[in-house]
Amino acid sequence: MTHPLEAAVALRASGQAEEAREILLQLLPGDRGNAVLHYQLAWTHDVLGLEREAVTFYEQSLALGLSDEEQKAGAMLGLGSTYRTLGLYSRSRRVLEQGVQEFPQRAEFKAFLAMTLHNLGAHSEAMELLLKLLAGTSADTGIQSYSKAIQFYSDKLEQIWDGDLD
């Protein structure tokens, strides 16, 4: 027999997020100390566009200590992204920068951090991050051909090179 938590995850994955939410909320009173349950509730609320409600569940899942690296990274990314969509840019930046530090191999943290940096008005920093990410991860042959140049110029976007064309 399938555990209700697993059933709820399957429902959400099949597009039945509201049904999944109902099952997960029914589990909560008896299992408040379950980090995975809080993470799944956060994710489900996010899918339903209930970002404000999702925040509490993301925060609680992390506070309770998700042991699975994939789930911890997902909760941190979800929380950082949700903070951004709610206009809580400084909080978003803190969480996403922590994610970059804890999970340096996960490029998605840098992409979401760049969005937050843009929202904070740090456009040059956001572009630098995105350009380095693009140069380092793109499989596009044109991008790879110019990867060194893209990385070189990534932090020099405002620089004007001295040269006379007349």
Side-chain angles (χ1 to χ4, degrees):
M1 184 165 185
T2 304
H3 188 278
L5 180 63
E6 293 171 2
V9 170
L11 282 169
R12 184 187 61 232
S14 71
Q16 297 173 287
E18 187 54 50
E19 293 83 350
R21 179 177 173 265
E22 290 173 20
I23 292 170
L24 293 169
L25 287 172
Q26 288 173 5
L27 295 173
L28 190 59
D31 211 358
R32 289 207 176 274
N34 185 332
V36 174
L37 175 58
H38 281 84
Y39 171 55
Q40 294 300 335
L41 274 161
W43 187 350
T44 302
H45 280 83
D46 240 352
V47 167
L48 290 167
L50 302 170
E51 286 83 4
R52 290 194 189 284
E53 293 88 342
V55 166
T56 303
F57 292 116
Y58 279 130
E59 290 172 339
Q60 191 64 25
S61 73
L62 291 166
L64 289 168
L66 288 164
S67 58
D68 181 88
E69 183 177 308
E70 184 72 24
Q71 291 175 347
K72 183 177 181 187
M76 288 180 73
L77 187 72
L79 180 59
S81 174
T82 301
Y83 278 154
R84 189 192 72 78
T85 64
L86 294 172
L88 302 169
Y89 304 130
S90 295
R91 288 184 190 183
S92 175
R93 182 177 188 163
R94 273 195 308 277
V95 171
L96 294 171
E97 284 178 341
Q98 181 183 349
V100 168
Q101 292 298 314
E102 286 191 38
F103 305 102
Q105 73 285 7
R106 298 190 69 137
E108 61 269 29
F109 279 100
K110 292 178 182 176
F112 280 85
L113 177 56
M115 289 184 247
T116 296
L117 292 171
H118 167 79
N119 292 127
L120 287 166
H123 305 297
S124 293
E125 193 177 348
M127 282 296 297
E128 179 182 351
L129 191 58
L130 281 178
L131 288 170
K132 286 180 177 177
L133 185 61
L134 177 69
T137 62
S138 177
D140 183 87
T141 55
I143 296 295
Q144 285 307 303
S145 295
Y146 291 95
S147 175
K148 286 182 182 179
I150 292 168
Q151 290 201 34
F152 176 78
Y153 289 119
S154 67
D155 64 348
K156 298 168 185 61
L157 295 174
E158 307 303 323
Q159 184 173 339
I160 297 174
W161 302 93
D162 189 23
D164 189 7
L165 294 178
D166 292 333

